[in-house]
Amino acid sequence: MQITAQTVKELREKTNAGMMDCKKALVETGGNMEEAIKYLRKKGIINAAKKSDRATKEGIISSYIHLGGKIGVLLELNCETDFVALTDVFTQLSKDLCMQIAATDPRYISRDNIPEDVITSEKQIYMEQAKQTGKPPAALEKIAEGKLNKFFNEVCLLEQPFIRDPEQSVEDMIKLAISKVGENITIGRFIRYQLGVK
Amino acid sequence: MQITAQTVKELREKTNAGMMDCKKALVETGGNMEEAIKYLRKKGIINAAKKSDRATKEGIISSYIHLGGKIGVLLELNCETDFVALTDVFTQLSKDLCMQIAATDPRYISRDNIPEDVITSEKQIYMEQAKQTGKPPAALEKIAEGKLNKFFNEVCLLEQPFIRDPEQSVEDMIKLAISKVGENITIGRFIRYQLGVK
């Protein structure tokens, strides 16, 4: 099996082990990165498979606690440079997004993040509901599609109406910030805790 | 199929649908709660399967942002009454725990939360390491167990040395708070974001 220099380099960066050890580990494990790390640990060459500390993106982690601790939000908002991460526009955007998430409890960032089985199950439900209307079969699919779109608007953060200006979507608001700071901004991840509700 | 009054009550509480609708939905779906909710939605009786808003526990959600937004922690700390949730002892404990999590990046609350395959894989690695010492086979198991215990101490929040007083474990510190407030305190859940590191 041929191990590329790129793979050896990646393992080196992940583990700080020597070049020859990394190459040997990859050869022994058929080039599988996870297994190669285990191999290096088994041989006592590295101590623990710790998460890499090398951040690949700039931005900020911000939080918002609502109602004296009944709801909490944690958000990673990314940009391209540390300089932009420190601007007022960027920090204000991260605050607004935290409040949005606290208020509206979105389940996903965008449609792309919704698992296929959730979409299938929702669509089934809307088709059944559509059948109850007594409308002609030809119209049912369209009714269900409309309801599915409404579902996406509700559960996807980017599609929600922005709470501080419901004429705009959250995505519009992010695009506005992008035009102001002059570099790309993306939502890395978010989570919302509500006391006693998992 | 016999549907218990308890199950009907549970579905009513989750959906706010009428008693008879809930009973019918459960009968039609063989008593499966998830399917019964879908049935009620399909029939147009309820609009959306939203998360219950009824909190089952008291406590607070708290957060901590470190290094100007490079690390963030969100924590749910639970107690039995809202009264205790508002005490200084409880709020100070939640702050200390957030700082602990930011500093030490624990992966689990306690050993009970570690998936079985993670334990198996770690133990295998320690057995291999032990073999390299050249010690007699009878001693290997003991060496591996020792290393596994050290791993638990590192990755389980409750077992970690408390950063503000490393003579005590985090669990000791929680027990101390329990003795002060006079009711049980548990860690509900936590999460730690590090910028660019998923």
Side-chain angles (χ1 to χ4, degrees):
Chain A
M1 153 128 210
Q2 189 64 33
I3 304 296
T4 65
Q6 181 55 37
T7 320
V8 175
K9 186 162 167 274
E10 195 182 327
L11 184 58
R12 254 178 80 78
E13 283 174 356
K14 274 183 200 276
T15 61
N16 289 324
M19 181 81 79
M20 292 316 293
D21 287 331
C22 286
K23 184 152 189 196
K24 180 139 194 266
L26 286 162
V27 170
E28 294 287 330
T29 58
N32 181 313
M33 190 65 59
E34 286 298 308
E35 290 303 315
I37 292 171
K38 282 188 193 165
Y39 175 92
L40 289 169
R41 293 186 64 202
K42 282 177 184 168
K43 294 292 171 192
I45 292 165
I46 59 169
N47 277 326
K50 67 170 181 170
K51 269 192 281 185
S52 167
D53 279 337
R54 298 183 354 126
T56 54
K57 285 174 180 165
E58 293 299 335
I60 45 173
I61 315 288
S62 53
S63 68
Y64 173 62
I65 301 292
H66 192 57
L67 298 172
K70 300 283 189 229
I71 291 172
V73 171
L74 197 63
L75 166 78
E76 173 167 353
L77 188 66
N78 295 119
C79 54
E80 296 170 44
T81 63
D82 198 35
F83 173 75
V84 160
L86 295 168
T87 60
D88 287 347
V89 168
F90 191 80
T91 51
Q92 185 60 45
L93 177 66
S94 80
K95 277 183 202 159
D96 286 343
L97 288 171
C98 280
M99 289 187 66
Q100 175 88 23
I101 295 162
T104 64
D105 194 12
R107 290 194 238 167
Y108 311 99
I109 295 174
S110 73
R111 303 186 179 208
D112 301 340
N113 308 112
I114 308 179
E116 202 50 53
D117 63 320
V118 172
I119 297 178
T120 309
S121 160
E122 287 298 317
K123 198 162 173 192
Q124 248 174 26
I125 288 168
Y126 301 132
M127 277 302 281
E128 288 292 330
Q129 287 179 355
K131 279 180 199 161
Q132 322 246 328
T133 62
K135 296 245 166 85
L140 299 185
E141 182 84 18
K142 210 169 168 185
I143 295 172
E145 280 294 334
K147 281 176 186 265
L148 193 61
N149 266 316
K150 195 160 165 290
F151 169 76
F152 291 147
N153 292 165
E154 281 173 14
V155 298
C156 299
L157 176 56
L158 289 178
E159 300 193 19
Q160 291 180 343
F162 175 38
I163 49 166
R164 288 178 56 189
D165 176 6
E167 295 294 303
Q168 289 190 81
S169 71
V170 169
E171 191 167 24
D172 291 338
M173 192 181 59
I174 293 175
K175 280 183 180 159
L176 184 66
I178 290 173
S179 73
K180 282 182 188 164
V181 301
E183 65 179 49
N184 200 18
I185 297 174
T186 53
I187 295 170
R189 50 187 162 164
F190 69 84
I191 193 159
R192 179 185 185 272
Y193 282 0
Q194 183 167 344
L195 189 67
V197 179
K198 280 195 192 173
Chain B
M1 155 126 209
Q2 189 64 34
I3 304 296
T4 64
Q6 180 57 38
T7 320
V8 175
K9 185 161 166 277
E10 195 181 328
L11 184 58
R12 255 177 78 77
E13 283 173 357
K14 273 183 200 276
T15 61
N16 289 324
M19 180 82 79
M20 293 315 293
D21 287 330
C22 286
K23 184 152 188 195
K24 179 137 195 268
L26 286 162
V27 169
E28 295 288 331
T29 58
N32 181 312
M33 190 65 60
E34 286 298 307
E35 291 303 316
I37 292 172
K38 281 187 192 164
Y39 175 92
L40 289 170
R41 293 186 62 201
K42 282 177 185 168
K43 294 291 172 194
I45 292 164
I46 58 168
N47 276 327
K50 65 170 184 171
K51 268 191 282 183
S52 167
D53 279 336
R54 298 182 356 125
T56 55
K57 285 174 180 165
E58 294 299 335
I60 45 173
I61 315 288
S62 53
S63 68
Y64 173 62
I65 301 293
H66 191 57
L67 298 172
K70 301 283 188 229
I71 291 172
V73 170
L74 196 63
L75 166 79
E76 174 168 353
L77 189 66
N78 295 119
C79 55
E80 296 171 44
T81 62
D82 199 36
F83 172 76
V84 160
L86 295 168
T87 60
D88 287 346
V89 169
F90 191 79
T91 52
Q92 184 60 46
L93 177 66
S94 79
K95 276 183 202 161
D96 287 343
L97 288 171
C98 280
M99 289 188 65
Q100 174 87 25
I101 294 162
T104 64
D105 194 12
R107 290 193 239 169
Y108 310 99
I109 295 174
S110 73
R111 301 185 181 210
D112 301 340
N113 308 112
I114 308 180
E116 202 49 54
D117 63 321
V118 171
I119 296 177
T120 309
S121 161
E122 286 299 317
K123 197 162 174 194
Q124 247 176 25
I125 288 168
Y126 301 133
M127 277 302 282
E128 287 292 330
Q129 287 178 356
K131 279 179 198 162
Q132 322 245 329
T133 62
K135 297 246 168 84
L140 298 185
E141 181 85 17
K142 211 169 169 186
I143 295 172
E145 280 294 335
K147 282 177 186 264
L148 193 62
N149 266 316
K150 194 159 166 289
F151 168 76
F152 291 147
N153 292 165
E154 280 173 14
V155 299
C156 299
L157 176 57
L158 289 177
E159 300 193 19
Q160 290 180 343
F162 175 37
I163 49 167
R164 287 179 56 190
D165 177 5
E167 296 294 304
Q168 288 191 82
S169 71
V170 169
E171 190 166 23
D172 291 337
M173 191 181 58
I174 293 174
K175 281 184 180 158
L176 185 66
I178 290 173
S179 75
K180 281 183 189 164
V181 301
E183 66 180 48
N184 200 18
I185 297 173
T186 53
I187 295 171
R189 51 187 162 163
F190 69 83
I191 193 158
R192 178 185 185 273
Y193 282 0
Q194 184 168 343
L195 189 66
V197 180
K198 283 197 188 171

